[in-house]
Amino acid sequence: MKPYVWHTRVYYEDTDAGGVVYYANYLKYMERARTEWLRSLGVEQDTLAKDLNVLFAVRSVAINYKKPARFNDALTVTVVAHALKPASISFKQDISQQGDEAKLFTTSEVNVVCLNTNDFSPNPIPKNLYQTIQSGEINNDY
Amino acid sequence: MKPYVWHTRVYYEDTDAGGVVYYANYLKYMERARTEWLRSLGVEQDTLAKDLNVLFAVRSVAINYKKPARFNDALTVTVVAHALKPASISFKQDISQQGDEAKLFTTSEVNVVCLNTNDFSPNPIPKNLYQTIQSGEINNDY
Amino acid sequence: MKPYVWHTRVYYEDTDAGGVVYYANYLKYMERARTEWLRSLGVEQDTLAKDLNVLFAVRSVAINYKKPARFNDALTVTVVAHALKPASISFKQDISQQGDEAKLFTTSEVNVVCLNTNDFSPNPIPKNLYQTIQSGEINNDY
Amino acid sequence: MKPYVWHTRVYYEDTDAGGVVYYANYLKYMERARTEWLRSLGVEQDTLAKDLNVLFAVRSVAINYKKPARFNDALTVTVVAHALKPASISFKQDISQQGDEAKLFTTSEVNVVCLNTNDFSPNPIPKNLYQTIQSGEINNDY
C-alpha cells in the first residue's frame, strides 16, 4: 500500500541535552502526520467530534529508535493504514531523513480506536471515512 | 510578602540541544507552582471549574532569563500574589537553584484573569479564595 | 518595517484540557518562526555554532495573550527585528489566525543575545548577518 | 522482582484538548521515573557522562494505553529492570492512579542501551551499576 507522506522539521523544542530529538517527541511528529492524513481524506477531527460525536484515541504504540534525528533535520513521516477494523485502525509509521528516506530514524506501529465522545465507549468508524480508508485512497497532493 | 515555595527538577524532556532548559519550559515550572500554590490554599482547579464554573487564564507573562538551568538541576520556584483585583491576580515568580537561591535562573511577572467557563468572560474570583489570597496566607507545610 | 511571515498549525500536542493552546507553547511557535527567519536570510544555526562558535539565547520575553488559539487553527507568526545592537536583537512577534490576521492570539517582544559557544559570554553578531538584518531584508519567498 | 516506585502529578502542560494526558507525555513520566530509579541507586546521569563517557539511549518502547489520566491526577510510576544484558536493560513500567494502583493508565516495555558518548557505539554498562541492578536492589526510601 502506498504510504501517505508528510514533512516536518526538528526545532530546538524537540531536542534534548543529548543533542538529539527527545524520544517522546517522535510520537508528536507521528500524530501530526496522522492528523494531516485524515485532513487529506477530507476529515477534520474537530468537526468529526462536533458533528458525529466521535474521536480517535491511541490504544498502543510500538516504536523502534534506529538513528537519532538532530536539530534542523528535515523529516519525512509516513502513514500507512495497514489494518482496518470496524472501530479501530492499525498504522505503520516511519520517520526518516527528508531526501534520504533510507536513513530511518524510527519505525512504529500504532493502534488507534474510534470512541464516542459522550462516554468514551468504542464507536464504529463513520461509514464514509471507513470506505475511504478501505479504498486505500492517498491524497499526497493535498 | 512571604513567597510560596515549591520544588521541582530538570529532566531530559526540559532541556534542548544547547544543553540547557528550553526557554518555554520555565513557564511550565511556573504554572506547576501556581497550581500547587492554589492547592496549598485548599483550591483544586478541576473542582473550581466543575462547582463554580470558573477557571484562570494567563493574560501576560514578562520573563527574564538570568542564567540557564541544566539537566538534573533541582529548582526552587516561588509564587507571590503581589497585586489582587476582583477578577485578576498579578504574580511575581522566580526560579532559582534549590539550596542556593541566590543563583537565579529566571524572574517573572505573570498576570492571570478569572474567567467564566461558559463564555470565557471575566468573572469575579470566588469570595473565599479572594479573601484567602488577600490575607496573604501561605501554607508551605503543605 | 515589513515583517517576516511564517505559518504553522495547532496540533493536539499544543492544546491543554482547557481546549486551547497551552500558554508556554506559543513560545515554541515564536522560536520556530525566528529559526525560519534566520534560515530565510541564509543562516543555519547549527553551522553558525560549528563554524563561527556563536549561538543565540533568549534574554527576555514579554507576551500578551489576546485570544486563545484552538486545535486545528492555522497560524500566522511574524518576526520583526525592530532593534539591532552589536550583540543583541529585539523582536516583535505576533501570532494570529492565518487568513484573518486581525484576529490576534498573542503579541510579544523578545530580546535575544548573541553568545560565544565556549563560555557563553556575549559575542558580536557575525558581520554578514548583522548587515543583512540591518538592511531590513525579508525573504518571504523562501 | 520488587518495582521501584515513583510519584508525579498531571499538570495542564500534560493534557490536551481531549481533556486527558496527551499520549506522548506518558513517556516523559516514564523517563523521569527511570532517572529517579538510577538516582536511587546512586547514579547521576550527568556525572556518568562526564566521568565514564557513557549515556543511556532508548532503543524501543511498546506502550499500551488502558485508561486516560486527567488533569490533577496523582500518578504512581514503576520501574522494573526485568532483563539485564552487558550493554542494555529492558524495563517494565506501569503508570497508575496513586492510592488506587489497580487503576492502570499505561503498561509498557522499554529497552535502553548503554552508549559511548564519543561515537554513540554500544558500551558495557559500568560494572558497579551492572552489579547493583543485577542484585535487584531497590531504594524506595530515597
Side-chain angles (χ1 to χ4, degrees):
Chain A
M1 193 183 297
K2 213 180 126 197
Y4 171 77
V5 174
W6 187 72
H7 300 291
T8 191
R9 194 182 269 279
V10 177
Y11 293 102
Y12 271 123
E13 68 194 75
D14 302 313
T15 60
D16 69 18
V20 298
V21 171
Y22 181 69
Y23 86 130
N25 292 341
Y26 295 95
L27 276 70
K28 297 184 176 181
Y29 303 145
M30 287 155 50
E31 198 196 38
R32 293 181 203 170
R34 293 196 305 273
T35 289
E36 296 298 341
W37 165 78
L38 272 177
R39 199 190 319 278
S40 79
L41 300 177
V43 175
E44 297 289 343
Q45 288 173 90
D46 39 7
T47 56
L48 208 62
K50 235 176 296 173
D51 296 352
L52 300 178
N53 294 320
V54 300
L55 62 85
F56 289 102
V58 176
R59 269 296 169 264
S60 67
V61 173
I63 181 167
N64 290 296
Y65 300 90
K66 303 288 195 180
K67 276 187 172 51
R70 288 164 199 279
F71 174 70
N72 248 350
D73 277 340
L75 305 178
T76 295
V77 190
T78 61
V79 180
V80 175
H82 76 95
L84 184 64
K85 294 189 179 171
S88 73
I89 316 172
S90 288
F91 296 98
K92 284 190 189 300
Q93 295 198 261
D94 292 347
I95 304 178
S96 59
Q97 183 92 51
Q98 187 177 353
D100 178 16
E101 279 74 7
K103 186 175 173 186
L104 275 170
F105 298 122
T106 60
T107 60
S108 66
E109 172 123 9
V110 180
N111 185 259
V112 167
V113 69
C114 188
L115 299 179
N116 194 291
T117 54
N118 298 320
D119 58 0
F120 292 90
S121 64
N123 195 95
I125 297 168
K127 203 176 171 181
N128 283 348
L129 176 58
Y130 186 92
Q131 290 174 342
T132 304
I133 298 172
Q134 203 175 29
S135 75
E137 190 181 327
I138 296 294
N139 291 314
N140 265 326
D141 35 65
Y142 166 75
Chain B
M1 196 182 295
K2 213 180 128 199
Y4 171 77
V5 174
W6 187 72
H7 300 291
T8 190
R9 196 181 268 278
V10 177
Y11 293 103
Y12 272 123
E13 69 194 76
D14 302 314
T15 60
D16 70 18
V20 299
V21 171
Y22 181 69
Y23 86 130
N25 292 340
Y26 295 95
L27 277 69
K28 296 184 177 181
Y29 304 144
M30 285 154 51
E31 198 194 39
R32 293 181 204 170
R34 293 194 305 273
T35 290
E36 296 298 341
W37 165 78
L38 272 176
R39 199 190 319 279
S40 79
L41 300 177
V43 175
E44 297 289 342
Q45 287 173 89
D46 39 7
T47 55
L48 208 61
K50 233 177 298 172
D51 297 353
L52 300 178
N53 295 318
V54 299
L55 61 84
F56 288 103
V58 176
R59 269 297 169 265
S60 67
V61 174
I63 180 168
N64 291 295
Y65 300 90
K66 303 287 195 182
K67 276 187 172 49
R70 289 164 197 280
F71 174 70
N72 247 349
D73 277 342
L75 306 178
T76 294
V77 190
T78 60
V79 180
V80 175
H82 75 95
L84 183 65
K85 293 188 179 171
S88 74
I89 315 172
S90 289
F91 296 99
K92 284 191 188 301
Q93 295 198 261
D94 292 346
I95 303 177
S96 58
Q97 184 92 50
Q98 188 178 352
D100 177 16
E101 278 74 8
K103 187 177 173 185
L104 274 171
F105 298 123
T106 61
T107 60
S108 67
E109 171 122 11
V110 180
N111 185 259
V112 168
V113 69
C114 189
L115 299 179
N116 194 291
T117 55
N118 299 319
D119 58 359
F120 291 89
S121 64
N123 197 93
I125 297 168
K127 201 175 171 183
N128 282 349
L129 176 57
Y130 185 91
Q131 290 174 341
T132 304
I133 297 174
Q134 203 175 28
S135 77
E137 190 181 327
I138 295 295
N139 292 314
N140 265 325
D141 35 65
Y142 167 73
Chain C
M1 194 183 295
K2 213 181 126 197
Y4 171 78
V5 174
W6 187 72
H7 300 291
T8 190
R9 195 182 269 278
V10 176
Y11 293 102
Y12 272 122
E13 68 193 75
D14 302 314
T15 60
D16 70 18
V20 299
V21 171
Y22 181 69
Y23 86 130
N25 292 340
Y26 294 96
L27 277 68
K28 297 184 177 181
Y29 303 144
M30 286 154 51
E31 197 194 40
R32 293 181 203 170
R34 293 195 306 272
T35 290
E36 296 298 341
W37 165 78
L38 273 176
R39 199 191 319 279
S40 79
L41 300 177
V43 174
E44 297 289 342
Q45 288 173 89
D46 40 6
T47 56
L48 207 63
K50 233 177 296 172
D51 297 353
L52 300 178
N53 295 320
V54 299
L55 61 84
F56 289 102
V58 176
R59 270 296 169 265
S60 67
V61 173
I63 180 168
N64 290 296
Y65 300 91
K66 303 287 197 182
K67 275 187 172 50
R70 288 163 198 280
F71 174 70
N72 247 349
D73 278 340
L75 305 178
T76 294
V77 190
T78 60
V79 181
V80 175
H82 76 96
L84 183 64
K85 293 189 180 172
S88 73
I89 315 172
S90 288
F91 296 98
K92 283 190 189 302
Q93 295 199 261
D94 291 346
I95 304 178
S96 57
Q97 183 93 49
Q98 189 178 351
D100 178 14
E101 279 75 7
K103 187 178 173 184
L104 275 170
F105 298 123
T106 60
T107 60
S108 66
E109 171 123 9
V110 180
N111 185 258
V112 167
V113 69
C114 188
L115 299 180
N116 194 291
T117 55
N118 298 320
D119 59 359
F120 292 88
S121 63
N123 195 94
I125 297 168
K127 200 176 173 181
N128 283 349
L129 176 58
Y130 186 92
Q131 290 175 341
T132 304
I133 297 172
Q134 203 175 30
S135 77
E137 191 181 324
I138 295 294
N139 291 313
N140 265 325
D141 35 65
Y142 167 75
Chain D
M1 193 182 297
K2 213 181 128 197
Y4 171 77
V5 174
W6 186 72
H7 301 291
T8 189
R9 195 182 269 278
V10 177
Y11 293 102
Y12 272 123
E13 67 194 78
D14 302 313
T15 59
D16 69 18
V20 299
V21 171
Y22 181 69
Y23 86 130
N25 292 340
Y26 295 95
L27 277 69
K28 297 185 176 180
Y29 303 145
M30 287 155 50
E31 199 196 39
R32 294 180 204 170
R34 294 195 304 273
T35 289
E36 296 298 342
W37 166 78
L38 272 176
R39 199 191 318 279
S40 79
L41 300 177
V43 175
E44 297 289 342
Q45 287 174 90
D46 39 6
T47 55
L48 208 61
K50 235 177 296 174
D51 297 352
L52 300 177
N53 295 319
V54 300
L55 61 85
F56 290 102
V58 176
R59 270 295 169 266
S60 66
V61 173
I63 180 168
N64 289 295
Y65 300 90
K66 303 288 196 182
K67 275 188 173 50
R70 289 164 198 280
F71 174 70
N72 246 350
D73 278 340
L75 305 178
T76 294
V77 190
T78 61
V79 180
V80 175
H82 76 95
L84 183 64
K85 293 188 180 172
S88 73
I89 316 173
S90 288
F91 296 97
K92 283 190 190 302
Q93 295 198 261
D94 291 347
I95 303 178
S96 58
Q97 183 92 50
Q98 188 177 351
D100 178 15
E101 280 74 8
K103 186 176 174 186
L104 274 171
F105 299 123
T106 60
T107 60
S108 67
E109 172 122 9
V110 180
N111 185 259
V112 167
V113 69
C114 188
L115 299 179
N116 194 292
T117 54
N118 298 319
D119 59 1
F120 291 89
S121 63
N123 195 95
I125 297 168
K127 202 177 171 180
N128 283 349
L129 176 57
Y130 186 92
Q131 290 174 341
T132 304
I133 297 173
Q134 203 175 29
S135 75
E137 191 181 326
I138 296 294
N139 291 314
N140 265 327
D141 35 64
Y142 167 74

